[in-house]
Amino acid sequence: MLTNPDHPDHPETARRKEVELALRRREQEFADFVENAAEGLHRVAGDGIILWANRAELQMLGYAWEEYVGRHIADFHVDAPVIAHILNTLASGGTLYDQPARLRCKDGSIKHVVIHSNGYFEDGQLRYTRCFTRDATERHQRDEALAQRDRMLRGAPMAAALLVGPDFSFRLANRRYCELMDRSDLEGRAFGEAFLELRDGEAMRLLEQGSVASVAVDELRVELARADGSLEERFLKLSLEPLGSTPGDEQGVIVVAVDVTAEVRSRRGLERAHAEREQLLVELTAANRTKDEFLAMLGHELRNPLSPIVTALQLMRMRGETGAAREREIIERQVDHLVRLVDDLLDVARATRGQIELKFERIDIAQPLAKAVEMAGVLLERRRHRLALDIQPGLLWEGDPVRLAQVVSNLLTNAARYTEPGGQVALRARRETAGPHAGWLRISVQDNGIGLAPDMLTQVFGLFFQARRSVERSQGGLGIGLALVKNIVELHGGTVQAHSAGVGRGSEFVVLLPAVSTATHATPAVPLVTAMAPAPAACKRIMIVDDNADAAETLGLLLTAHGHQVEVFNDPVSALAQVERIQPDIAVLDIGLPVLDGYQLAARMRALLGSHRCRLFALTGYGQEADLARSQEAGFERHLVKPITAEQVAQLAAAP
């Protein structure tokens, strides 16, 4: 047994060797650990001299061992105050965590790092410090980016705020945001605390959405509490972007807001105005339709009493009666005037709805002008006006001669009415040879009457427009003649203008028409019957049904005078009771009958007559296009508008 502990084979010696070997192995492992650690490590003496640095430290800064170790640590710090602070802290026994610093690399670049360090002391003196150096370039760049973002948000020309955490606390709210939201000192406060009125509404829901995904809202309605406690309606345009894009990032939302309250209110005002305008258009359309219906009804009601008057006058003329000839002439003139007023009323209703149908002919313009002078001649003579005519010969024109005569007649009538008795009226027509209307037909009516004020020149063609009346001017009219002139001229593709040197200085109306009219509602003309048809070759059985007894009786007398067998009824029931007995060849039925209207009466008569052929003619005061179409659909062969003339009666009786 060995008792000497120093003997190589002694058990204690063997254990000591094992311990020493283990210590050397641990020292080697530790040395390898610190030398090859991924973090930069270095040791600095109490006087600031670098005693040691591992491989990561040297590689991070780009120095060799001999270029780094043995030099003062301050030689590598960019910021002297920072290294002074580090050394003072460590010398006083302090510990540094995440101390930012900037180190100078061998290639001259600057490396941003964070330092963890503490000191080793003996007898109260700092022997050395242990330092961990971590590359913080990315962290610095991120911090700089965040700082730049915050600076941008604070200086943004629009309202911007940054909210973080689950309660959406304001980390940043720029001046414009505070002004927009009418709040101050928002930073550090939770959204729900700062805006009690919004915490349970749409705004809070949008913040929650915006913290996880981009959100854009064009028009958010909010009610913000004012200082006096009242709520103010505001509209905001919002853009929300999440703050953290990867797990582990701080969660929050960036809010950019624009006040669009004024724009929304302006738009809503426009929408209200548009809706009111649409409603007004609906009402105006309804009023216009009512007006048209009224004009049609007025024409019908006026034509009912006119029809027997006209027919009675025709009978008196046919019988050659000479008694009260002067009075009869007066009645005829006034009835003609009434008929023209009624026709104008119905024409203007058709014209405003584009329902006038033009019948084109190629004619010498002198023909419709002569007709117009004839139509206006009575009034011109009665007011003792001198009419001068200057018509260029050989003026060919393609258009509706009847409508042109109506246009010129209305202009002549207008001149006669608005010129004091004994005045001068001139009608001229020529072909334009120069200017933008070269080749067009120019017709003018000029007078030396009361004239027009400048503000009336654009109004004179308005419907129901009336100039001032003089004491002498008893024939006032309805103010529709010039409106009708304008419509008819424009339907031909032309224009009409009013000229006047002023009140009391006369007027001139000029019509310009293209040589070939450009109207789209034109049809070829139907030759007009200008002479009375000859007496019928055979007597016809004619039934007249009209609740206007005078009209029915006078029409019956006219037809009887032409040699026909006529029976008159004033109600549809009596007519139906006799229709099988009479077996009429022609039935003239008033449309506006009581109990059964003319359409219903016609249907029942056809059923009772069976195979017997009876020609049906509608007699009515309604003469618009829709009325004519309905008569045709109901099987009427002709549509006669009251009052009918002797020529129409003759044609009716003689028709095969």
Side-chain angles (χ1 to χ4, degrees):
M1 181 176 179
L2 297 175
T3 58
N4 184 1
D6 295 326
H7 192 280
D9 295 327
H10 193 281
E12 288 296 328
T13 300
R15 283 195 295 271
R16 187 167 60 246
K17 288 180 179 181
E18 289 177 2
V19 170
E20 291 173 355
L21 183 60
L23 287 173
R24 283 195 300 270
R25 198 164 46 242
R26 282 197 295 270
E27 287 175 356
Q28 291 172 354
E29 290 174 353
F30 179 73
D32 177 73
F33 173 79
V34 297
E35 181 64 26
N36 296 296
E39 294 281 358
L41 300 172
H42 64 276
R43 183 185 299 165
V44 180
D47 59 0
I49 300 299
I50 300 173
L51 301 175
W52 170 85
N54 73 348
R55 185 177 300 165
E57 178 101 359
L58 295 173
Q59 288 177 346
M60 179 173 60
L61 301 177
Y63 294 103
W65 172 273
E66 63 275 10
E67 294 171 331
Y68 193 66
V69 177
R71 295 179 62 182
H72 198 283
I73 189 65
D75 293 345
F76 301 96
H77 275 264
V78 176
D79 305 301
V82 173
I83 187 57
H85 166 70
I86 292 172
L87 293 175
N88 289 336
T89 300
L90 294 173
S92 62
T95 300
L96 297 172
Y97 295 98
D98 282 338
Q99 170 65 48
R102 293 192 301 164
L103 299 180
R104 190 175 292 107
C105 299
K106 181 179 180 180
D107 61 5
S109 62
I110 304 300
K111 182 76 70 175
H112 290 270
V113 299
V114 291
I115 297 172
H116 303 272
S117 184
N118 61 2
Y120 174 75
F121 290 82
E122 284 185 354
D123 299 329
Q125 294 294 319
L126 178 64
R127 292 288 306 278
Y128 59 86
T129 61
R130 300 170 288 257
C131 302
F132 293 80
T133 308
R134 177 174 297 168
D135 188 345
T137 301
E138 291 185 2
R139 174 176 171 179
H140 172 75
Q141 291 173 345
R142 184 183 64 186
D143 291 344
E144 278 296 303
L146 293 177
Q148 184 179 15
R149 177 202 66 192
D150 291 352
R151 287 193 300 271
M152 251 175 50
L153 291 177
R154 287 193 183 281
M158 61 190 70
L162 191 156
L163 299 92
V164 297
D167 59 351
F168 298 105
S169 294
F170 283 95
R171 173 173 291 175
L172 180 151
N174 70 3
R175 177 179 58 83
R176 290 185 179 274
Y177 186 89
C178 294
E179 291 173 351
L180 171 63
M181 303 301 286
D182 197 21
R183 295 290 194 279
S184 60
D185 301 327
L186 285 174
E187 294 183 6
R189 300 174 64 189
F191 181 84
E193 172 197 346
F195 299 97
L196 294 174
E197 68 274 25
L198 303 180
R199 63 183 178 182
D200 296 324
E202 180 70 5
M204 182 62 79
R205 186 182 68 80
L206 289 173
L207 286 177
E208 293 170 352
Q209 288 183 352
S211 65
V212 295
S214 298
V215 176
V217 181
D218 287 333
E219 189 178 305
L220 174 67
R221 179 184 176 276
V222 296
E223 290 186 332
L224 294 178
R226 303 172 64 112
D228 59 4
S230 63
L231 294 176
E232 179 184 8
E233 182 184 54
R234 303 282 286 280
F235 295 91
L236 306 177
K237 182 176 182 178
L238 297 179
S239 177
L240 298 94
E241 290 291 333
L243 185 61
S245 58
T246 59
D249 287 344
E250 185 177 35
Q251 298 300 300
V253 60
I254 297 174
V255 179
V256 176
V258 177
D259 189 348
V260 293
T261 303
E263 290 85 344
V264 171
R265 289 175 179 168
S266 175
R267 189 196 73 233
R268 290 186 175 182
L270 288 174
E271 289 173 350
R272 284 194 299 271
H274 180 71
E276 291 171 0
R277 175 181 173 276
E278 290 298 318
Q279 180 60 32
L280 181 60
L281 286 175
V282 170
E283 293 172 0
L284 287 174
T285 301
N288 190 57
R289 184 170 57 251
T290 301
K291 178 261 297 179
D292 289 341
E293 292 171 355
F294 168 75
L295 291 178
M297 178 63 74
L298 180 62
H300 173 75
E301 294 301 325
L302 289 174
R303 277 175 165 160
N304 270 334
L306 284 174
S307 186
I309 296 174
V310 170
T311 307
L313 289 169
Q314 292 170 348
L315 276 171
M316 294 171 70
R317 192 181 302 111
M318 289 176 62
R319 291 170 180 168
E321 297 180 6
T322 58
R326 173 63 179 164
E327 290 80 359
R328 192 170 69 248
E329 288 177 2
I330 294 173
I331 294 172
E332 286 178 348
R333 283 198 304 271
Q334 297 304 318
V335 168
D336 286 344
H337 181 63
L338 282 173
V339 170
R340 287 189 60 196
L341 286 177
V342 172
D343 287 342
D344 280 355
L345 274 174
L346 296 178
D347 276 344
V348 81
R350 293 189 192 103
T352 54
R353 293 185 295 179
Q355 293 181 339
I356 287 184
E357 183 176 333
L358 303 179
K359 300 182 183 297
F360 274 21
E361 293 183 48
R362 187 172 179 82
I363 56 165
D364 188 317
I365 204 67
Q367 296 177 23
L369 295 187
K371 181 63 176 177
V373 171
E374 178 187 342
M375 294 166 68
V378 174
L379 182 59
L380 288 166
E381 290 178 8
R382 187 161 63 246
R383 295 184 64 79
R384 305 187 307 282
H385 294 318
R386 292 181 297 280
L387 176 64
L389 298 176
D390 182 10
I391 313 297
Q392 181 179 337
L395 287 179
L396 295 180
W397 174 70
E398 187 173 327
D400 189 326
V402 175
R403 290 299 183 183
L404 182 59
Q406 185 180 11
V407 164
V408 178
S409 170
N410 278 349
L411 292 178
L412 289 170
T413 301
N414 188 72
R417 287 172 177 166
Y418 287 95
T419 301
E420 299 298 329
Q424 296 179 354
V425 179
L427 170 62
R428 302 181 180 90
R430 61 180 172 82
R431 185 79 66 191
E432 291 278 59
T433 57
H437 295 102
W440 284 37
L441 181 70
R442 185 183 193 275
I443 302 172
S444 67
V445 174
Q446 188 174 16
D447 63 64
N448 63 345
I450 65 173
L452 290 167
D455 61 329
M456 290 186 178
L457 293 177
T458 56
Q459 304 176 38
V460 71
F461 296 103
L463 188 58
F464 303 121
F465 172 82
Q466 289 277 343
R468 67 175 180 85
R469 295 174 182 264
S470 66
V471 175
E472 294 288 333
R473 205 181 123 256
S474 59
Q475 300 295 333
L478 297 177
I480 60 177
L482 292 180
L484 190 57
V485 165
K486 182 174 184 291
N487 274 286
I488 293 175
V489 169
E490 288 179 350
L491 281 174
H492 281 84
T495 63
V496 60
Q497 301 169 344
H499 304 282
S500 178
V503 176
R505 303 181 66 179
S507 304
E508 182 182 23
F509 289 83
V510 177
V511 173
L512 290 168
L513 294 168
V516 177
S517 295
T518 57
T520 58
H521 294 85
T523 59
V526 177
L528 298 176
V529 177
T530 56
M532 178 77 74
C539 172
K540 293 186 175 65
R541 295 186 301 276
I542 301 176
M543 173 184 282
I544 298 174
V545 185
D546 191 342
D547 61 332
N548 186 325
D550 290 338
E553 181 181 354
T554 52
L555 179 58
L557 290 171
L558 268 176
L559 291 172
T560 300
H562 279 79
H564 298 289
Q565 180 182 339
V566 181
E567 293 200 35
V568 176
F569 299 90
N570 299 128
D571 69 274
V573 176
S574 300
L576 282 174
Q578 299 298 321
V579 67
E580 291 181 281
R581 175 185 62 80
I582 297 172
Q583 294 287 302
D585 302 311
I586 298 173
V588 182
L589 308 180
D590 182 25
I591 296 301
L593 292 169
V595 184
L596 296 174
D597 63 27
Y599 305 121
Q600 296 169 319
L601 177 60
R604 295 198 182 188
M605 286 179 62
R606 282 196 298 268
L608 290 172
L609 291 172
S611 60
H612 176 76
R613 181 176 180 269
C614 177
R615 301 169 64 202
L616 299 176
F617 299 93
L619 183 63
T620 176
Y622 296 105
Q624 300 194 51
E625 299 297 330
D627 305 315
L628 178 59
R630 188 175 180 190
S631 292
Q632 291 174 342
E633 291 174 2
F636 284 93
E637 183 179 324
R638 297 283 300 275
H639 186 92
L640 304 174
V641 180
K642 300 176 183 179
I644 59 176
T645 65
E647 289 81 1
Q648 287 175 301
V649 173
Q651 289 176 356
L652 172 66

